[in-house]
Amino acid sequence: MLFAMLLKMSSWICLVFAAPCLAATPPTARQVIEEIKAHVGVPWSDDTVDTFKAGDPDTPVTGIATTMMATFDVLRRAQAEGKNLVITHEPTFYSHLDKTDVFEQENDPVWAEKLKFIRDHKMVVWRFHDHWHRRRPDGIMEGVLRALEWQKLYTPDGQIVKLPEPMTLEALASQVQTRLGAKVLRVVGDRFMKVTVIALQPGAAGTDRHRRALQRPEVEVLLVGEVPEWETIEYVADAAAQGRHKALLLVGHIPSEQPGMETCAEWLKTFIKDVPLGFVATVEPFWTPASKNAR
Ligand SMILES: [Zn+2]
């Protein structure tokens, strides 16, 4: 028993330190996550959504996929690449806490098929949200700023970006859409307005944080992932109707944070050496018909 334990431990140590080992057994998902906890650089909180969401944590890991959202499509592509541990930033089962009791009671077919796929292919899904944001620098923001090419323009205090020179809201929206690879980006505000100062709040920071950023006199544009339409969106529409110099870029949750999970894969590679590891992009689900009402 002790020998077996030592053998298991030593093979995992070999993987971590990339030492030459004979017949190395792969780490389990649980062991990989323990390594993440040891390296993330912030104290691990028990009150967190960063937990296993599906699959057996003691499954040997054949490969690791980081992704923005463990959609069915992502799971299929990760599985096809032989990556059975999926590290997802956002939920797997359609709500922040990934509670599945309602789906179970309703015998929901979509949830059931997703769970069956995970089990049939011996996959494990673990969420990496709170602590990846808590890391300094924030792992998501690091990737987003790099994708937007705004690293040198960014001030963490207030999450403000100051452009070197003013540009029209339309030009800015187009640049953001291209750099983040957003298929459907929505804008509120005057398209010809010249803007310089942007408050950057990827993901779903919530309408209170959105509004407080917009209340700052210097902030002209708020960039967010998502928000209910009767909250920040209506607020910015009213501000614009009152003639205020305010605008909103509504990027969508996935493209607004996704580069941060690409960064996560790069970070994991610094201490997980011998397990195949890579980023699997989450495909944004939206599309729009060619519109005659664009302007
Ligand atoms: Zn996030």
Side-chain angles (χ1 to χ4, degrees), residues 176-189:
V176 167
Q177 180 164 32
T178 304
R179 290 180 178 176
L180 291 180
K183 285 198 286 183
V184 178
L185 183 145
R186 296 189 290 168
V187 188
V188 182

Side-chain angles (χ1 to χ4, degrees), residues 16-193:
V16 172
F17 296 104
C21 296
L22 289 171
T25 53
T28 64
R30 196 189 301 281
Q31 286 170 321
V32 170
I33 301 316
E34 287 307 314
E35 284 301 307
I36 290 175
K37 290 181 182 179
H39 283 83
V40 72
V42 289
W44 200 261
S45 159
D46 289 334
D47 182 21
T48 178
V49 293
D50 296 355
T51 58
F52 288 103
K53 304 303 177 188
D56 177 1
D58 293 317
T59 304
V61 173
T62 57
I64 302 169
T66 68
T67 193
M68 181 59 198
M69 216 177 270
T71 60
F72 193 69
D73 171 60
V74 162
L75 293 173
R76 272 203 296 222
R77 284 186 288 123
Q79 196 274 331
E81 291 177 16
K83 298 184 171 90
N84 69 339
L85 172 58
V86 175
I87 295 179
T88 180
H89 187 64
E90 295 302 6
T92 308
F93 297 119
Y94 323 115
S95 69
H96 184 51
L97 298 179
D98 280 295
K99 281 172 74 73
T100 58
D101 44 357
V102 173
F103 300 110
E104 225 162 312
Q105 282 160 24
E106 294 170 353
N107 197 19
D108 182 87
V110 177
W111 160 77
E113 186 168 337
K114 192 171 192 177
L115 188 61
K116 184 175 184 306
F117 184 89
I118 292 167
R119 286 180 177 160
D120 284 355
H121 294 93
K122 296 192 168 36
M123 297 181 84
V124 183
V125 181
W126 183 75
R127 188 169 176 198
F128 194 23
H129 179 273
D130 300 344
H131 296 83
W132 189 232
H133 274 301
R134 278 177 210 157
R135 177 178 166 265
R136 288 293 168 265
D138 176 323
I140 292 292
M141 196 60 103
E142 192 182 8
V144 170
L145 286 170
R146 189 174 69 183
L148 286 166
E149 301 173 33
W150 286 350
Q151 298 103 313
K152 293 203 175 93
L153 312 177
Y154 179 70
T155 312
D157 181 27
Q159 300 183 199
I160 299 294
V161 168
K162 193 157 188 240
L163 300 172
E165 51 192 60
M167 60 199 297
T168 65
L169 181 61
E170 181 154 35
L172 175 69
S174 166
Q175 185 183 85
V176 167
Q177 180 164 32
T178 304
R179 290 180 178 176
L180 291 180
K183 285 198 286 183
V184 178
L185 183 145
R186 296 189 290 168
V187 188
V188 182
D190 172 9
R191 72 172 67 227
F192 303 112
M193 169 177 135

Side-chain angles (χ1 to χ4, degrees), residues 273-285:
K273 300 292 187 188
D274 282 4
V275 181
L277 195 169
F279 166 69
V280 174
T282 306
V283 178
E284 188 185 2

